[in-house]
Amino acid sequence: AGCKGRDAQFELYVAAICRRAGLTPVAREEPDVICHVSGIKFGIAAKRAKNIGSLDDRIKDAADQIRRSQQPGVIAIDTCLALNRENLRIVTPISDQLFGERYRKAFFRFLEEKHDVIQRRVGAGVHGIAFHDMQIRYEPDGSWSLAGLTVFLATARDNQSANEFGSFES
């Protein structure tokens, strides 16, 4: 398991993002957050992975939680700590565009390596995963900033679920 305070903080963050995106009404209910998209009630299991080894288990736990809720589901997983265990800073000052390109490329390489394991862990019932990651970086102007990246991975096994996830993602 994890730190209850930080877990609750991530659940609140996910709920706030849903509310900001207009996926209302939003509630903190099982699996962790409930939101609505195009008249469909989605359950979101929000998890934090502390290291690469725990990522698979957190995805499986989230998928099980969604199945128990018996509603279309999405996993939201915070990978900040798992992908940067030593909390290293990105100290090379590069443009936002180049930084974004490299950040996305590295993240997609990670997803490509883990794709088969992720699909096995998710099983049926989960429409997709929203991976959320943040890194501290040094800006070209000499300041520090927090750069965030959210990547969606469809895991749906049928067309209806894939379409529902597409609505959620957009």
Side-chain angles (χ1 to χ4, degrees):
C3 172
K4 289 185 186 294
R6 292 201 188 266
D7 292 346
Q9 183 180 33
F10 185 58
E11 291 170 14
L12 288 168
Y13 177 77
V14 169
I17 294 296
C18 290
R19 187 175 311 275
R20 177 80 172 143
L23 309 181
T24 56
V26 176
R28 285 197 59 218
E29 298 173 8
E30 276 301 316
D32 288 318
V33 176
I34 299 293
C35 68
H36 294 77
V37 181
S38 303
I40 301 168
K41 183 177 177 181
F42 276 90
I44 303 172
K47 302 295 177 203
R48 295 171 44 250
K50 293 182 185 161
N51 56 58
I52 293 295
S54 72
L55 182 66
D56 300 344
D57 291 336
R58 302 305 287 154
I59 289 172
K60 184 182 181 311
D61 293 345
D64 292 344
Q65 194 174 355
I66 288 169
R67 273 190 286 285
R68 285 192 307 272
S69 76
Q70 298 181 339
Q71 53 199 330
V74 174
I75 296 170
I77 190 151
D78 178 345
T79 57
C80 300
L81 194 53
L83 298 181
N84 188 4
R85 191 73 188 132
E86 302 302 317
N87 200 25
L88 300 173
R89 309 300 196 248
I90 298 169
V91 296
T92 304
I94 58 176
S95 70
D96 287 345
Q97 180 181 349
L98 186 56
F99 176 82
E101 289 170 8
R102 289 182 179 175
Y103 194 5
R104 289 184 69 75
K105 185 177 182 180
F107 202 89
F108 280 109
R109 186 172 38 248
F110 158 75
L111 284 182
E112 195 174 292
E113 291 169 6
K114 300 293 285 177
H115 184 267
D116 292 344
V117 172
I118 290 169
Q119 288 288 18
R120 277 195 305 275
R121 291 285 191 206
V122 168
V126 176
H127 289 18
I129 303 175
F131 291 91
H132 175 68
D133 193 72
M134 294 173 75
Q135 299 295 324
I136 297 172
R137 67 175 281 226
Y138 189 66
E139 297 280 354
D141 68 2
S143 65
W144 290 92
S145 69
L146 186 61
L149 177 69
T150 299
V151 174
F152 292 92
L153 175 67
T155 59
R157 309 245 166 144
D158 61 76
N159 288 339
Q160 179 181 342
S161 297
N163 290 338
E164 290 173 355
F165 182 69
S167 295
F168 179 89
E169 181 178 2
S170 63

